[in-house]
Amino acid sequence: MKTPKSTTRRSSGKTPIPARCAGWMLRHPGVTAMPAVFGTSVIELGAVTTGSAVAGLVGAGLSWRYLHKDSYMAVASPRLRAVRRRWTRYIGKSWKESLEYCNLVGQDRRTGELLVPRLLRVAAPTPSIDVLKVKFVKGQSLRVFQDVQDELAAALGADVIAIEKGSKPRILTITLVHGNPFDVVIPPADIPGEVDEVDLKAIELGDTEQGEIWAEPLLGHHWLISGATGSGKGSLLWNPLRAMGPMIREQIARIWMIDPKGGMETERGKPLFYRHATSADDDVEYDDGTGPEDVDPMLAVLLEFRDRMRERQAFLREHKLRKFTPSVETPFEVLMIDELAMLTALGGSRSTISQVNRILAEILTQGRAAGFAVVAYVQEPTKDIVPVRDLFTRRISLRTGSASYVDMVLGEDARLRGALADEIPEEGCEGIGYRTSEKSRTPIRVRAGYSTDDDIDELVRLCTPHFDDDGPAGIVVPFAA
Ligand SMILES: Nc1ncnc2c1ncn2[C@@H]1O[C@H](COP(=O)(O)OP(=O)(O)OP(=O)(O)O)[C@@H](O)[C@H]1O
């Protein structure tokens, strides 16, 4: 007679304690090895030598922290923070209790043993963001976690939570944002007094969540700024102008402004602009002809910008200059486009749109070395709306209307790494967003400084240039709908 299957099953209760200890030690080799290394060092080298080595390591860490803060913050700080969080915020007992509270634990049907989803990895890219990699137990799914995500956020003390599928089966990623480091409105960037105080490689925009100045390089870059309506994109238009103020006044930097939204946002700063194209003038009849007189005015500004870029390239080639230096003779040219989608997808005829995209691609691929930068603002950053999206070298995402927009702007997995831009509340969080850089794919939470109308008026008062080659500054040209 066949032995019933059930009699062959292991009937013991929990996994034996020694086996569990061995498993834990294997999973935490660093923690396990540390006392062994320390003990062996004391026995073999003596307490004084071991103490000196430890003191030396601490000293090296402190020196690194003070001598090269940027690399310390990028490399050491997140790792140390992750270890601290792992052993404080998410230590075994409280992790288990949090999951029990949310009914996220299982039970082994044979042994009755409590099965707790295992915390595989804790990353803490910024002081307020934790990213957990979790292996869920048999019978669970991503859905089970997502169904109780509010309870889980409360149990883990987070304000915002996102739970997504991980890279492997049965692994999920939980991103937690703790607190709001920006509970006050941040003042706008200072207007430097003189040209030599302007740093085009570090244009001040606001604060980072670490309480540092948030600055981005514009010379040699193009910026894409994405955000839903009312997210505060305007502050990322006025801050760069403030930071470049004296250069604009001296015409060492020239601003070409395209505002297809009727000039509502940019009208106040019109005297600052070398070119200003807006859809304000609805009375102008636009003829979509082929002659130079009939060129779409928005396109005309773009074409002129492109032509100047070509001239500059020829000039640099002729003078064998490999590096561009801004000067009155060769100004740093900045094209700002408020609502890029109106140019690249939504406004104008199909032929105009495809021409716009071609010219933009040319500027974005060739302009940087010649001192031509593009700063564009967009609400919906999909590829069909902004085909040239990937050619921007610096990306910022303020509050977005959709979770999928975050990765489109900040790069693959940016949301998994903590950039929960779609979870930023609408009220009271304008100007808050995330940025990534080429060096690090870790998103940093930032808040832009806010320029009031008075701040804009101050900028115009202090930094209006006097153009004399092309007539009055800020020529308003209509946008063909
Ligand atoms: N950095 C900021 N800090 C605090 N409040 C801000 C900030 N930026 C903007 N705001 C507030 O949010 C409102 C909307 O900002 P803004 O007009 O810049 O949004 P937007 O993203 O340009 O929207 P739209 O695309 O509809 O023009 C402003 O009127 C202001 O009250």
Side-chain angles (χ1 to χ4, degrees):
M1 198 176 120
K2 259 186 169 178
T3 315
K5 261 189 181 170
S6 59
T7 60
T8 62
R9 280 181 176 169
R10 198 157 45 98
S11 58
S12 61
K14 295 179 172 185
T15 313
I17 289 176
R20 280 163 52 197
C21 286
W24 188 92
M25 288 166 80
L26 281 174
R27 287 198 305 274
H28 301 92
V31 179
T32 311
M34 214 181 314
V37 170
F38 190 72
T40 312
S41 173
V42 172
I43 293 165
E44 294 292 325
L45 306 172
V48 174
T49 312
T50 306
S52 309
V54 172
L57 275 176
V58 173
L62 287 175
S63 312
W64 183 11
R65 166 87 173 70
Y66 288 104
L67 294 177
H68 208 280
K69 200 171 170 198
D70 283 356
S71 66
Y72 180 89
M73 297 299 266
V75 179
S77 205
R79 285 172 173 78
L80 293 174
R81 196 164 44 230
V83 172
R84 197 174 68 238
R85 297 271 163 82
R86 176 71 181 87
W87 298 103
T88 53
R89 202 174 266 174
Y90 307 110
I91 190 135
K93 190 161 175 283
S94 67
W95 172 247
K96 189 175 117 193
E97 281 171 4
S98 301
L99 295 192
E100 272 181 320
Y101 169 79
C102 303
N103 284 328
L104 288 173
V105 291
Q107 198 169 30
D108 189 313
R109 280 191 296 121
R110 288 170 296 142
T111 63
E113 190 178 348
L114 191 70
L115 300 174
V116 181
R118 184 174 297 158
L119 184 53
L120 300 177
R121 190 165 168 256
V122 176
T126 76
S128 66
I129 298 173
D130 294 342
V131 182
L132 317 181
K133 275 218 167 10
V134 176
K135 182 169 187 181
F136 46 77
V137 296
K138 270 193 193 140
Q140 289 184 329
S141 66
L142 176 67
R143 229 3 229 291
V144 174
F145 277 77
Q146 285 177 334
D147 283 349
V148 290
Q149 69 173 36
D150 289 347
E151 290 83 349
L152 191 58
L156 296 173
D159 291 84
V160 181
I161 189 169
I163 304 175
E164 296 190 32
K165 221 159 78 194
S167 46
K168 292 186 186 151
R170 288 181 57 198
I171 306 282
L172 52 85
T173 303
I174 303 179
T175 307
L176 303 151
V177 180
H178 300 270
N180 175 10
F182 307 112
D183 44 5
V184 291
V185 173
I186 291 165
D190 286 336
I191 303 173
E194 300 300 330
V195 166
D196 55 11
E197 291 169 43
V198 177
D199 185 355
L200 293 173
K201 295 227 153 104
I203 296 290
E204 188 179 329
L205 299 176
D207 284 3
T208 68
E209 68 170 286
Q210 284 100 336
E212 318 244 306
I213 288 177
W214 168 32
E216 300 284 349
L218 186 53
L219 187 62
H221 284 274
H222 305 296
W223 296 354
L224 181 67
I225 293 153
S226 164
T229 180
S231 59
K233 293 187 293 298
S235 33
L236 291 174
L237 188 145
W238 296 111
N239 277 307
L241 297 178
R242 290 176 69 85
M244 287 188 284
M247 279 200 174
I248 296 173
R249 183 182 60 227
E250 305 303 327
Q251 299 185 51
I252 296 171
R254 290 197 301 206
I255 309 302
W256 304 54
M257 180 65 73
I258 295 181
D259 181 358
K261 293 193 299 186
M264 288 285 288
E265 179 71 52
T266 55
E267 187 68 22
R268 217 177 178 94
K270 203 164 103 180
L272 299 166
F273 309 136
Y274 176 65
R275 291 284 183 272
H276 186 215
T278 166
S279 56
D281 194 352
D282 287 338
D283 297 338
V284 176
E285 286 258 333
Y286 171 68
D287 174 17
D288 194 7
T290 49
E293 297 306 316
D294 299 319
V295 170
D296 181 318
M298 202 82 89
L299 186 58
V301 171
L302 208 56
L303 276 167
E304 189 186 352
F305 192 79
R306 193 270 315 268
D307 292 347
R308 296 279 178 94
M309 178 192 80
R310 287 181 175 173
E311 284 166 27
R312 176 76 55 79
Q313 285 173 319
F315 174 85
L316 294 176
R317 257 196 315 272
E318 197 183 312
H319 292 81
K320 297 196 168 46
L321 294 170
R322 288 181 54 213
K323 195 167 165 273
F324 159 76
T325 311
S327 67
V328 176
E329 293 73 35
T330 56
F332 178 44
E333 310 279 9
V334 183
L335 173 66
M336 294 180 129
I337 307 173
D338 193 13
E339 200 36 73
L340 183 61
M342 291 292 286
L343 280 191
T344 55
L346 308 176
S349 66
R350 192 183 284 195
S351 66
T352 306
I353 285 172
S354 71
Q355 204 180 350
V356 162
N357 280 311
R358 256 201 326 276
I359 298 167
L360 265 177
E362 183 180 342
I363 297 168
L364 290 167
T365 50
Q366 297 177 34
R368 295 194 290 154
F372 283 68
V374 180
V375 180
Y377 307 81
V378 69
Q379 291 189 21
E380 201 185 318
T382 54
K383 257 281 164 67
D384 51 334
I385 298 282
V386 190
V388 291
R389 185 183 72 201
D390 293 338
L391 298 176
F392 288 87
T393 54
R394 289 281 157 154
R395 329 274 189 87
I396 298 159
S397 176
L398 301 177
R399 173 176 55 79
T400 62
S402 158
S404 63
Y405 292 174
V406 179
D407 286 8
M408 288 178 195
V409 178
L410 298 179
E412 206 182 324
D413 288 346
R415 193 172 184 276
L416 275 182
R417 289 163 192 268
L420 303 182
D422 53 304
E423 298 280 355
I424 297 172
E426 266 184 48
E427 290 290 315
C429 290
E430 297 88 352
I432 296 181
Y434 294 85
R435 49 85 64 179
T436 47
S437 74
E438 288 157 333
K439 281 192 211 145
S440 157
R441 293 176 62 207
T442 300
I444 304 287
R445 198 152 44 145
V446 288
R447 184 166 205 177
Y450 179 50
S451 286
T452 62
D453 287 350
D454 287 348
D455 294 320
I456 298 169
D457 293 345
E458 178 199 28
L459 176 64
V460 171
R461 201 173 60 249
L462 295 177
C463 299
T464 292
H466 298 285
F467 303 110
D468 50 20
D469 58 336
D470 303 281
I475 305 158
V476 177
V477 284
F479 173 56

